[in-house]
Amino acid sequence: MISHIQKFRKQLADGRLCLGTGISMNDPAVVEALAPVVDFLWIDMEHNPMGIETMMGHLIAARAGGAPVLVRVPSSDVPFLKRVLDSGAEGIIVPQVRTADEVRQVVQACRYPPLGTRGWGPRRPSEYGRRSREQIVSEANQLLFVVVQIEHIEAVQVLDEIVAIEGLDGLVVGPHDLSASLGVLGQLEHPTVLAAIEKIIGTAHDAGMSVGFGDEAVAENAIRWARMGADWIQPGIDFFYIVGTAEQLFADIRAGI
């Protein structure tokens, strides 16, 4: 069942910067339209009124379109995480983690025994009962892409413990919330914020992990993160592209009259 995320893993291993888009809208046609032009899709369930059924529709559209998918869940709540996994998510992003124990719980919830504590009940991952238990367990324990979002100074302070957790595949930087936790909300070029980001990137890379970024649709920001060592970046979300393109198009037409 897990297939496209391996393409994403290979691109990261080859040192290619991967660029993707956030998905906030409910229509799976949005995923179908964007799948051919992205390296990955970031389905955002943290900040959007999106339910499990809608998310699963996006997963189906992304699989048909050949796009790797990461699902950002609202929190580290295990019961919700379980439903996302059993709906067939190939990658998981857990936001706002603070402690190594919280991250350890997340990783264990994503892996089946003996590597974790994930409860048995796959639906789409079993291809509706067609695949063997051995296939499903092996796939989840080896291929599922599990990352946590570092966006608070408390998590930065225990990074060494976090990256040492077996079964964690990488970190994602949330620069805006990170800046807020440092007392300089939105000041992404503040020396304190940049120092924290440099620490996150360096610690993750030293541990052999990739580092992603979730940010606004601002090219300058993405270029900055890439130059600092980001491996994958989500620069903006679906509705930003719609609004931005419309505003620029209309402005260009009016300027030319």
Side-chain angles (χ1 to χ4, degrees), residues 1-224:
M1 187 70 184
I2 292 180
S3 55
H4 302 320
I5 202 69
Q6 294 310 98
K7 177 172 60 176
F8 181 61
R9 284 182 179 274
K10 185 178 186 307
Q11 290 172 335
L12 293 176
D14 291 343
R16 170 178 169 176
L17 174 65
C18 292
L19 299 174
T21 182
I23 299 296
S24 67
M25 297 180 174
N26 288 343
D27 191 340
V30 175
V31 167
E32 184 179 48
L34 289 171
V37 299
V38 299
D39 295 313
F40 67 94
L41 293 163
W42 171 317
I43 298 176
D44 189 12
M45 302 186 75
E46 181 187 14
H47 294 296
N48 297 290
M50 183 186 298
I52 294 288
E53 295 87 350
T54 297
M55 178 216 65
M56 191 168 76
H58 287 325
L59 295 180
I60 293 170
R63 187 182 187 193
V69 177
L70 309 173
V71 178
R72 180 165 68 176
V73 293
S75 70
S76 58
D77 179 65
V78 171
F80 190 91
L81 186 61
K82 185 185 301 184
R83 296 179 69 197
V84 172
L85 293 171
D86 289 340
S87 296
E90 296 188 332
I92 293 289
I93 300 172
V94 178
Q96 293 288 349
V97 297
R98 300 289 182 89
T99 69
D101 284 342
E102 182 181 9
V103 176
R104 190 173 293 108
Q105 182 184 49
V106 165
V107 173
Q108 289 179 344
C110 291
R111 311 296 185 189
Y112 288 113
L115 300 184
T117 58
R118 179 175 171 181
W120 185 255
R123 296 298 182 263
R124 290 191 67 240
S126 73
E127 293 185 4
Y128 306 100
R130 295 183 180 90
R131 304 178 71 229
S132 71
R133 184 183 301 267
E134 291 74 21
Q135 287 176 310
I136 298 164
V137 170
S138 175
E139 188 175 76
N141 286 355
Q142 296 180 40
L143 305 184
L144 183 68
F145 195 75
V146 181
V147 297
V148 294
Q149 195 154 7
I150 307 299
E151 45 193 341
H152 197 279
I153 188 58
E154 290 180 15
V156 176
Q157 292 167 346
V158 293
L159 274 178
D160 288 337
E161 294 179 59
I162 290 175
V163 299
I165 295 171
E166 184 178 359
L168 183 67
D169 291 299
L171 305 178
V172 185
V173 180
H176 292 272
D177 283 343
L178 180 60
S179 70
S181 80
L182 292 167
V184 288
L185 175 60
Q187 298 180 45
L188 303 188
E189 296 185 74
H190 192 284
T192 304
V193 176
L194 294 178
I197 290 174
E198 287 175 354
K199 180 178 180 180
I200 295 168
I201 293 172
T203 303
H205 285 172
D206 286 347
M209 294 182 176
S210 68
V211 180
F213 275 74
D215 202 356
E216 298 173 316
V218 178
E220 291 80 2
N221 286 359
I223 292 168
R224 182 193 307 122

